[in-house]
Amino acid sequence: MDATETLASRRTALKYGLGTAATLVLVGSGLLASAERAAADVVNAQLFALNGERVMIDGLVVPVLGFGSAPDRVEIPGGRLEVETGDTVNLTLTNGTGRQIGLTVPGIPGVPGTPVPPGASRTISFTAPDRPGTFVYIGTIDGSADTGRALGAAGALVVRARGAAGSIEANFPGALARARRQPLFGTQAAAIPTEIVQERTWLFAELNPATARDLAGGRVALPSDPEPEYFLINGVSGMLAVEDPATFLEGRAGGLGRPGDATLVRMIDTGRAPRSVHFHGNHFWVLSHPDAPWLVGAFKDTVRIPPGTVVDVLFPMETPPDSMPVVERAQKYVVHDHIEMAETASGGHYAGGMVSESVFD
Amino acid sequence: MSGGLVPIDQNRPADLTQAVHFGHNRPEESPETPGKVRPDATFVRKVFNDKLEFSDGGDVEYWAFKDPDDDKPFPSTPIRARQGQVIHTTIETAINVHTIHHHGIEPSTFNDGVPDSSFTVGSRYTYQWRASRAGTFFYHCHRNAPLHVQMGMFGYLILDPPSGPGTLYVGGPQYDVEALWAAYDIDPTWRDYNHASGEKNAIADRTRLNRFRPRYFTINGVDARRSRNNPKTTVRARVGQRVLLRHLTGAYFVNVVRFPAALAPVVHMSDGEPLPAPTPLPGNRLETTTAERYDLILTPTAAGTHTVTYEFRHWLTGALAGTATAHVIVT
């Protein structure tokens, strides 16, 4: 399978797998040697802690330490671990680095954090929560989760409602009942999506090359001063994030006030700064918010994500309502962090930071 | 069926030769507006420069937009129209090249004012859009946005329901007095940059747009010591009147806004849409980041000067960096 086919298959799985579980199993297991599904309620997966390098958007090479789904390549971020509520998760962590590597999942108690020594392998078992939600697993490096986050050792953990991946109500109880919008132009009733057609996870991370070199060289404590130089979504930034099929949104547009391929975006901030994520083209419904639950059900265009937390939103992919005239051909819009420093790379190169796009077909 | 591990990172080889020029390799144009129709409301916004002065005797340069008949406002001259109207916003760039993005307005890509997906305006362009919502929005330049927004190139965009000012949205609450208070922090060292700083080679030209270290903390460009009787930061009301505060976070640091209990703040809208229900602000404390808007109705329960305190917290450490104030004087 060449790279193009892999991408196409992945996107097919993402787009259609949610509605039809069988598709996801077939495509997913054909694609991923590391993930085995032994039983309906047991998820087995392998993570390989590895050293590596990443080329930033301006060509700078930066050391990373992250997780691969295979022993021969590091992935930044680590793969998205998809489970259902109540599943037993068996994660086999193989440590290919010279450091002590453990795992922590904030918000999920009972994940054994005992580090795996260099060269060793251990299976970490835990039970997925009964309540669906979006989480992040973070590698601890010599006991430090901050070091893990700063070097790229993190990935999304998605807990879906059992057998109901496309249901907003099952995955975000109460959010749909709260959802609200005003009539278009003051008079025309407009719809609110009732199900999730596709989804993305966005893992936001900051990177300072000097810090990364220090940390990769053995330091554990983070220096307090320096501003990050690179601002990444799913490990990439700027035009690379705009063109990254795991990151950009693409779907069929609905009509005026009618949702198209409504897209759940699970936004995870692993950085030190909050994010202020602004979508152009459509407002989005807030489905979860860690410290302002009164915003759940609000239809916003910009949302604050406190550092170390998750905000889930639903992007309706409806015809951009202020278009005049309404345009029938494909449209595309940027989405970006509005804390503008995070739109840069190595001090400038706007928009080389946390930016991607939504494409309305 | 449960799940498994799905790789996000495809480790694709990247062609970096163009990637770094994303956003500023786009054409500079002054095209005709596609599908131009007769507008219900028109606005012209011309770019200008001036200075803001502070209570410590310091001043900084700012860039902003103004109605050609306006003097030298800060923030930029507001745009105010009604829901349902077809609107033309004409930018006269006058100094260098810019765009107008109507934040929270969702027009066609061509009219969105984003260089990455359309174009920067060489001299003049008329953005065309139709207001589907009522609420509080803002407009800003989207070219080299970290710098241009920090330099002050933003202003309020208010869309009243078809009935006009006095009602927040169709079926929404009414108000008697209105305050437009935009939080704005200022790093004077960024004034040494030029319009294109950092667009091509930030390291070579020593541009550090990731290093924002503000020295002034303001509401509408007014620092705390000058805020008390300044019309930009003070409104007057009687006990029991409803004061609509249209808050805009123009700051790059995190704002924590603290309201005295005597103002009984209730949040009705955010970003141009009503909340699921009017919400008494928990703890009378609002935490907000860049570009968010919140519409609160304050109903003062006692006479006196009630001061709203805006904390500006460091974007990375959360440490308190400075405060600004605005006031409701109640008689």
Side-chain angles (χ1 to χ4, degrees):
Chain A
M1 188 180 279
D2 70 16
T4 317
E5 283 173 348
T6 307
L7 292 178
S9 302
R10 254 216 75 253
R11 292 174 68 184
T12 305
L14 205 59
K15 190 165 177 179
Y16 299 111
L18 295 169
T20 48
T23 310
L24 189 61
V25 172
L26 284 174
V27 176
S29 53
L31 195 63
L32 305 164
S34 64
E36 294 170 15
R37 292 162 187 93
D41 58 351
V42 177
V43 175
N44 299 321
Q46 297 200 64
L47 287 177
F48 297 86
L50 298 163
N51 289 105
E53 290 180 335
R54 270 303 137 113
V55 183
M56 295 293 106
I57 195 158
D58 60 348
L60 190 77
V61 178
V62 178
V64 297
L65 192 163
F67 294 114
S69 55
D72 58 341
R73 63 180 200 121
V74 65
E75 295 164 27
I76 306 290
R80 179 176 57 226
L81 185 58
E82 300 179 346
V83 305
E84 292 190 338
T85 45
D87 276 351
T88 297
V89 184
N90 299 317
L91 262 182
T92 302
L93 174 57
T94 302
N95 185 359
T97 78
R99 318 280 289 271
Q100 296 280 336
I101 306 293
L103 210 63
T104 178
V105 185
I108 301 187
V111 179
T114 316
V116 179
S121 186
R122 179 182 301 144
T123 297
I124 296 166
S125 298
F126 62 94
T127 305
D130 291 331
R131 192 181 165 84
T134 307
F135 302 87
V136 57
Y137 62 87
I138 298 168
T140 60
I141 299 178
D142 294 339
S144 167
D146 284 344
T147 303
R149 288 191 307 166
L151 283 175
L157 168 56
V158 170
V159 181
R160 298 200 177 105
R162 179 159 301 281
S167 163
I168 299 170
E169 174 57 26
N171 286 281
F172 301 94
L176 194 56
R178 287 175 56 86
R180 187 163 175 212
R181 71 186 301 178
Q182 55 180 306
L184 291 180
F185 314 110
T187 54
Q188 289 181 27
I192 294 170
T194 52
E195 63 175 30
I196 301 161
V197 177
Q198 55 180 358
E199 65 174 86
R200 294 285 186 275
T201 49
W202 288 351
L203 197 140
F204 295 95
E206 300 152 359
L207 195 148
N208 183 293
T211 305
R213 282 186 212 107
D214 278 357
L215 294 174
R219 234 168 94 180
V220 171
L222 283 168
S224 59
D225 70 328
E227 283 88 352
E229 300 274 326
Y230 299 97
F231 300 88
L232 312 174
I233 309 177
N234 290 340
V236 285
S237 74
M239 197 172 90
L240 299 181
V242 166
E243 295 185 345
D244 178 20
T247 303
F248 71 81
L249 309 186
E250 181 176 16
R252 180 185 52 85
L256 206 55
R258 278 203 327 275
D261 288 342
T263 307
L264 165 63
V265 186
R266 303 173 185 266
M267 303 192 288
I268 303 163
D269 182 17
T270 67
R272 286 193 293 154
R275 315 264 77 96
S276 196
V277 177
H278 171 45
F279 286 74
H280 292 227
N282 274 186
H283 278 48
F284 52 81
W285 279 277
V286 177
L287 298 178
S288 80
H289 198 283
D291 69 7
W294 50 277
L295 285 175
V296 170
F299 198 28
K300 282 173 67 64
D301 60 49
T302 309
V303 70
R304 174 179 63 92
I305 310 176
T309 71
V310 172
V311 170
D312 299 292
V313 302
L314 187 69
F315 187 79
M317 202 71 84
E318 64 184 29
T319 296
D322 302 297
S323 304
M324 185 69 213
V326 173
V327 183
E328 296 300 335
R329 62 180 188 281
Q331 301 278 291
K332 66 174 184 173
Y333 296 89
V334 290
V335 45
H336 58 90
D337 189 351
H338 222 297
I339 299 180
E340 298 285 341
M341 297 79 84
E343 288 206 84
T344 64
S346 59
H349 296 306
Y350 170 81
M354 286 170 175
V355 58
S356 190
E357 273 185 359
S358 61
V359 180
F360 292 61
D361 294 331
Chain B
M1 193 290 293
S2 272
L5 190 70
V6 178
I8 298 297
D9 175 11
Q10 306 292 337
N11 273 319
R12 296 176 309 149
D15 175 8
L16 294 177
T17 52
Q18 285 302 308
V20 85
H21 299 304
F22 175 66
H24 38 88
N25 221 9
R26 57 329 182 222
E28 184 182 312
E29 295 183 57
S30 300
E32 282 300 307
T33 304
K36 200 168 187 175
V37 299
R38 184 203 303 236
D40 301 309
T42 61
F43 302 91
V44 177
R45 289 294 176 270
K46 185 174 180 177
V47 176
F48 72 102
N49 298 339
D50 201 24
K51 285 196 166 178
L52 286 174
E53 296 175 353
F54 304 105
S55 58
D56 67 354
D59 60 49
V60 298
E61 184 187 4
Y62 75 93
W63 312 336
F65 298 101
K66 71 182 191 74
D67 184 287
D69 294 333
D70 207 347
D71 193 16
K72 291 194 166 179
F74 187 84
S76 304
T77 313
I79 292 174
R80 189 158 196 160
R82 293 190 186 186
Q83 187 180 26
Q85 288 184 322
V86 174
I87 294 159
H88 281 178
T89 312
T90 298
I91 181 173
E92 293 182 356
T93 52
I95 304 163
N96 216 280
V97 295
H98 302 281
T99 72
I100 286 178
H101 168 60
H102 301 81
H103 183 115
I105 304 303
E106 288 143 1
S108 63
T109 305
F110 200 86
N111 287 290
D112 202 28
V114 177
D116 326 350
S117 52
S118 57
F119 55 93
T120 50
V121 181
S123 58
R124 186 181 168 94
Y125 177 69
T126 297
Y127 296 95
Q128 176 170 287
W129 49 282
R130 185 179 179 206
S132 70
R133 299 181 166 95
T136 305
F137 304 85
F138 75 116
Y139 68 100
H140 66 84
C141 178
H142 220 293
R143 182 217 166 180
N144 203 9
L147 179 63
H148 288 213
V149 174
Q150 160 58 195
M151 289 303 292
M153 302 193 79
F154 65 89
Y156 272 96
L157 164 56
I158 294 168
L159 295 171
D160 294 301
S163 60
T167 303
L168 199 42
Y169 59 94
V170 172
Q174 298 191 317
Y175 55 89
D176 307 302
V177 177
E178 191 176 34
L180 310 183
W181 290 345
Y184 175 51
D185 45 11
I186 298 163
D187 182 343
T189 69
W190 284 32
R191 272 62 195 170
D192 297 334
Y193 297 137
N194 67 52
H195 292 256
S197 281
E199 283 191 348
K200 290 298 180 191
N201 193 333
I203 292 174
D205 68 17
R206 297 175 181 274
T207 305
R208 307 310 294 154
L209 296 180
N210 59 330
R211 184 171 297 167
F212 182 66
R213 297 176 178 177
R215 192 163 93 211
Y216 297 111
F217 303 91
T218 79
I219 302 302
N220 291 335
V222 179
D223 65 28
R225 284 174 61 192
R226 290 190 168 182
S227 67
R228 183 60 69 115
N229 286 308
N230 191 315
K232 289 184 179 181
T233 45
T234 302
V235 292
R236 292 169 192 277
R238 294 189 300 276
V239 172
Q241 275 193 316
R242 295 160 71 84
V243 178
L244 172 63
L245 166 56
R246 299 182 187 267
H247 167 86
L248 163 64
T249 310
Y252 289 178
F253 273 15
V254 179
N255 277 142
V256 175
V257 188
R258 297 184 190 277
F259 295 84
L263 290 178
V266 175
V267 195
H268 285 264
M269 298 183 86
S270 180
D271 299 352
E273 283 283 352
L275 291 187
T279 305
L281 186 64
N284 299 318
R285 173 192 185 278
L286 177 68
E287 184 163 352
T288 169
T289 46
T290 317
E292 285 189 308
R293 287 91 61 216
Y294 287 94
D295 303 302
L296 301 98
I297 289 187
L298 316 174
T299 310
T301 54
T305 296
H306 303 293
T307 297
V308 180
T309 303
Y310 293 74
E311 299 175 355
F312 292 74
R313 294 188 166 269
H314 194 286
W315 68 305
L316 292 163
T317 68
L320 182 64
T323 55
T325 50
H327 315 276
V328 183
I329 298 175
V330 180
T331 49

